[in-house]
Amino acid sequence: MKKPSEAINIVNLDHLGIVAGIIDEMELVEEVNKKVGLRTKETLSPGQVMKAMILNGLGFLSAPIYLFDTFFVGKATEHLIGEGVTPEQLNDDRIGRALDKYYQAGTTKLFTAIALKAAMKFQVEMKSVHLDSSSISVEGEYKSCQKEGQVIEAESLEREDEMKAIKIVHGYSRDRRPDLKQFIIDTIVTGDGDVPLYLKIDDGNADDKSVFVERLKEFKNQWTFDGICVADSALYTAPNLSAMAGMKWITRVPLSIKEAQNKIWDIEDNAWEPNQIKGYKIAAISSDYANIKQRWLVIESEIRKQAAIKKISEHVAKQLELAKASLRKIFKQEFACIADADMAIKRLSESWKYHQLAEIEYREKPVKKTKIKPKIESQTKTIVYQVTGKIETQKSVIEAEKVKAGRFILATNILDTKSVSNQQVLSEYKAQQSNERGFRFIKDPLFFTSSVFVKKPERVEAIGMIMGLCLLVYNLAQRKLRQQLEVTNEGVKNQVKKLTNKPTMRWIFQMFQAVHLVTINGEKQVSNLTPDRQVVLKHLGQYCCQYYLIFSSG
């Protein structure tokens, strides 16, 4: 007699159990449900849908959001999201309705609430934060679902402004795609693990100079933040500095400011102080720009200096060839008077940065001019002028450029060098790359938001928030794993099989490919859970371990 065949079901778990575990540890689902609200007879809560969207966003399979049900086919959907949840339930209609709810709740408020809870749970430090923005390009036409001229009744003007749909329009493109419309993402991340704490979706033509201070004020109020705010040169304007009274800040000084142009090259050799950061020199000076006492640091980067000097040499050579060509043309021209010739020479010389005309001579040239009158023909002699001269290199200008090469100026209103040293100012500014890393992550071609598909600005804004939440989950996971590896003095094997205590989560996610959830007659087990993978899960903690059916004893 044959035994009845066992009921076997195999689905992919891969790295998604790690993502789900971090989301659970953040208490994201509960926080979203509290902020957005629950409706009776909902088969999927707003928090569960958001969890599904983040799982999709961090799936790294280039699956666009409208293929949600396809993305979850063959995956451990119910195991990851909740009992009874199927891929078919995660269709585009449900996702669209959820995006509308997130927008109505306020994307910045919702993100901040989630980030605040996560920062407390993961004990994220906020000694300094970094503000930056980037553009996300989209294709197609975008119109607000609010009709033109429609008046929205709101409890207050603040609420009305908050619910105003973003404008997806052409603007300054960081993606070098001026042909495409875009929206802007402003983020504030902490220096502790690059964790994003604040996110704001802006109009595609929003100007950093006009919005950066408002973003910092909003963040300071929401987080009761008293640390150091770090931003790029867009923050450094006289009105912004005045508006930041009461804040501690570090930013870069634009070299378009005349005072900066004067001070960046006028540094005595003995003014440079020793620096522990290899490849950098620092010279401290004071400034009262915008009537605010500041510490300015002229920074010289050796790597940037060498690269800049090379570019200067290239520009000098290129300009010389262009100057020769222009000069050949002007030598052939004939001028009615010396004043005209002189003016042409002056205009040409002023267009050159590294060269000038020398040994200029004006030569008379007689020409015959024929006048024809009725029955009378005569010839008269007239004088025109031609120019000769030679091109001379302005060595003093080139040397001044080389002296300034590789230099930039940082400013801070923290005058006490004991509380924040000059080297710490430079280190904090260098950490501004944390925002840039986050934007590169969001714009990765493998990320689901590489082509935003929804056609309403309100939903695009909600999608932008999900993008930020994916970054939040990813960086929290990476931060936690690296911290635990450092504390225990352990490591995991990287791509070249060497131990490291600073792995990227992208590599960890790749490590977990081909991990499956196997169900045999109702009994679940996880296959391919190698010792290396178990080490990673041990450091990520119980929330992640439970998805791989690893439970601590007792």
Side-chain angles (χ1 to χ4, degrees):
M1 183 176 176
K2 290 184 178 180
K3 293 182 179 179
S5 60
E6 294 178 325
I8 301 177
N9 182 45
I10 302 174
V11 288
N12 293 338
L13 184 56
D14 300 329
H15 66 283
L16 296 179
I18 294 175
V19 178
I22 298 297
I23 291 172
D24 291 352
E25 190 170 358
M26 293 166 57
E27 298 182 10
L28 178 143
V29 173
E30 296 82 357
E31 190 65 25
V32 172
N33 290 340
K34 183 170 73 174
K35 296 296 181 183
V36 175
L38 292 169
R39 291 183 180 177
T40 55
K41 298 182 181 180
E42 272 188 324
T43 54
L44 275 172
S45 71
Q48 285 178 308
V49 176
M50 184 177 286
K51 184 179 183 180
M53 295 175 76
I54 296 171
L55 287 166
N56 177 238
L58 294 176
F60 295 123
L61 294 178
S62 194
I65 194 172
Y66 58 83
L67 295 179
F68 250 40
D69 51 353
T70 305
F71 172 80
F72 282 102
V73 169
K75 292 184 174 60
T77 309
E78 187 174 11
H79 181 69
L80 292 165
I81 301 173
E83 187 176 350
V85 179
T86 65
E88 293 74 23
Q89 292 174 325
L90 295 165
N91 53 58
D92 55 350
D93 288 336
R94 187 179 297 277
I95 300 303
R97 290 194 298 271
L99 291 173
D100 291 338
K101 291 179 181 178
Y102 305 150
Y103 174 79
Q104 291 295 327
T107 52
T108 298
K109 282 186 176 180
L110 189 53
F111 183 93
T112 303
I114 295 168
L116 181 59
K117 175 64 73 71
M120 292 172 61
K121 292 281 291 183
F122 285 78
Q123 298 181 345
V124 176
E125 292 184 353
M126 287 173 282
K127 294 178 181 177
S128 64
V129 296
H130 302 264
L131 167 65
D132 207 350
S133 69
S134 191
S135 58
I136 305 294
S137 301
V138 294
E139 297 184 7
E141 294 296 323
Y142 288 83
K143 295 180 180 178
S144 171
C145 65
Q146 297 167 4
K147 295 179 181 178
E148 253 185 67
Q150 179 181 358
V151 178
I152 303 171
E153 292 186 6
E155 292 179 3
S156 66
L157 287 174
E158 181 183 351
R159 179 64 177 166
E160 185 175 336
D161 289 339
E162 182 186 317
M163 295 307 298
K164 197 176 191 179
I166 59 168
K167 297 175 184 175
I168 300 179
V169 294
H170 295 285
Y172 174 69
S173 175
R174 281 80 161 180
D175 301 326
R176 297 182 180 178
R177 289 300 307 269
D179 56 311
L180 296 179
K181 291 183 178 180
Q182 63 183 24
F183 62 94
I184 302 294
I185 294 185
D186 302 322
T187 61
I188 294 178
V189 305
T190 174
D192 179 13
D194 300 351
V195 177
L197 303 175
Y198 173 92
L199 175 143
K200 176 75 174 180
I201 309 298
D202 265 328
D203 296 343
N205 57 359
D207 177 29
D208 291 348
K209 292 181 180 179
S210 61
V211 301
F212 268 11
V213 169
E214 291 307 313
R215 302 294 167 259
L216 288 174
K217 285 182 176 179
E218 289 170 14
F219 173 78
K220 192 174 186 294
N221 292 335
Q222 291 168 350
W223 287 84
T224 59
F225 174 73
D226 194 35
I228 303 170
C229 302
V230 186
D232 218 328
S233 58
L235 185 66
Y236 199 90
T237 67
N240 285 355
L241 297 185
S242 299
M244 287 191 293
M247 297 185 191
K248 292 179 285 189
W249 48 262
I250 295 171
T251 185
R252 184 168 173 166
V253 181
L255 294 183
S256 56
I257 295 174
K258 189 173 182 179
E259 184 181 346
Q261 293 172 5
N262 295 334
K263 289 187 175 181
I264 196 166
W265 68 273
D266 191 18
I267 305 292
E268 299 292 336
D269 289 341
N270 59 4
W272 298 106
E273 64 181 52
N275 185 25
Q276 295 175 357
I277 304 176
K278 189 177 179 181
Y280 287 90
K281 294 196 300 184
I282 299 176
I285 52 181
S286 60
S287 174
D288 292 318
Y289 182 77
N291 296 318
I292 296 170
K293 290 190 178 297
Q294 303 163 47
R295 185 180 7 152
W296 276 18
L297 303 179
V298 178
I299 312 291
E300 183 174 289
S301 164
E302 184 59 31
I303 293 175
R304 290 180 60 174
K305 186 178 185 69
Q306 295 306 319
I309 288 174
K310 184 180 178 182
K311 279 189 176 181
I312 290 170
S313 299
E314 291 171 355
H315 290 160
V316 170
K318 186 177 180 180
Q319 189 187 92
L320 180 59
E321 292 304 312
L322 294 172
K324 287 178 179 178
S326 300
L327 205 56
R328 283 194 294 269
K329 288 181 181 179
I330 207 167
F331 283 174
K332 293 178 182 179
Q333 289 184 33
E334 296 176 347
F335 300 94
C337 62
I338 291 177
D340 288 350
D342 188 56
M343 188 178 295
I345 286 293
K346 186 177 180 182
R347 278 200 301 265
L348 180 62
S349 191
E350 286 177 349
S351 68
W352 299 338
K353 183 174 183 179
Y354 302 112
H355 302 88
Q356 63 184 4
L357 275 172
E359 299 181 17
I360 301 169
E361 293 182 3
Y362 303 98
R363 182 168 55 87
E364 293 184 358
K365 179 183 177 183
V367 294
K368 292 180 180 180
K369 189 174 182 182
T370 301
K371 294 182 180 181
I372 301 175
K373 295 183 179 180
K375 298 182 181 181
I376 300 173
E377 185 174 312
S378 64
Q379 287 186 343
T380 58
K381 286 187 177 181
T382 185
I383 300 296
V384 295
Y385 296 88
Q386 288 186 306
V387 180
T388 61
K390 70 175 187 178
I391 300 172
E392 191 176 78
T393 301
Q394 298 192 75
K395 293 182 179 179
S396 60
V397 174
I398 295 172
E399 287 306 310
E401 287 288 304
K402 288 182 177 180
V403 167
K404 293 189 291 184
R407 291 183 184 178
F408 58 95
I409 299 177
L410 299 181
T412 179
N413 63 341
I414 307 170
L415 303 179
D416 183 9
T417 55
K418 291 182 180 179
S419 62
V420 180
S421 69
N422 293 338
Q423 293 183 16
Q424 285 174 314
V425 172
L426 175 58
S427 296
E428 285 291 354
Y429 184 77
K430 282 172 64 65
Q432 183 72 0
Q433 296 172 359
S434 57
N435 267 303
E436 295 169 9
R437 285 191 292 268
F439 292 135
R440 284 198 299 270
F441 170 86
I442 286 174
K443 295 181 181 185
D444 192 295
L446 292 175
F447 198 49
F448 80 103
T449 48
S450 58
S451 62
V452 181
F453 81 97
V454 286
K455 296 301 178 185
K456 292 201 302 184
E458 293 80 0
R459 290 185 178 181
V460 171
E461 182 174 329
I463 285 284
M465 179 194 66
I466 299 296
M467 295 162 72
L469 289 171
C470 288
L471 178 62
L472 175 62
V473 172
Y474 180 94
N475 281 353
L476 282 172
Q478 182 169 272
R479 173 184 175 275
K480 181 173 186 179
L481 178 58
R482 289 180 175 183
Q483 282 186 340
Q484 292 301 313
L485 288 171
E486 186 176 359
V487 167
T488 58
N489 199 26
E490 293 184 62
V492 297
K493 291 179 182 176
N494 61 15
Q495 293 92 322
V496 293
K497 308 300 180 185
K498 290 185 178 180
L499 287 178
T500 176
N501 62 356
K502 290 188 176 181
T504 66
M505 284 312 296
R506 184 181 293 280
W507 168 243
I508 297 300
F509 288 174
Q510 291 175 3
M511 275 182 61
F512 275 74
Q513 296 306 297
V515 175
H516 302 105
L517 179 67
V518 182
T519 305
I520 304 176
N521 289 331
E523 293 293 324
K524 294 180 179 179
Q525 62 184 57
V526 176
S527 66
N528 295 334
L529 208 55
T530 62
D532 286 343
R533 290 166 175 162
Q534 291 183 47
V535 167
V536 171
L537 292 171
K538 177 188 74 172
H539 290 298
L540 285 171
Q542 190 55 43
Y543 285 94
C544 294
C545 285
Q546 66 183 354
Y547 284 99
Y548 297 90
L549 306 182
I550 300 174
F551 301 99
S552 58
S553 57

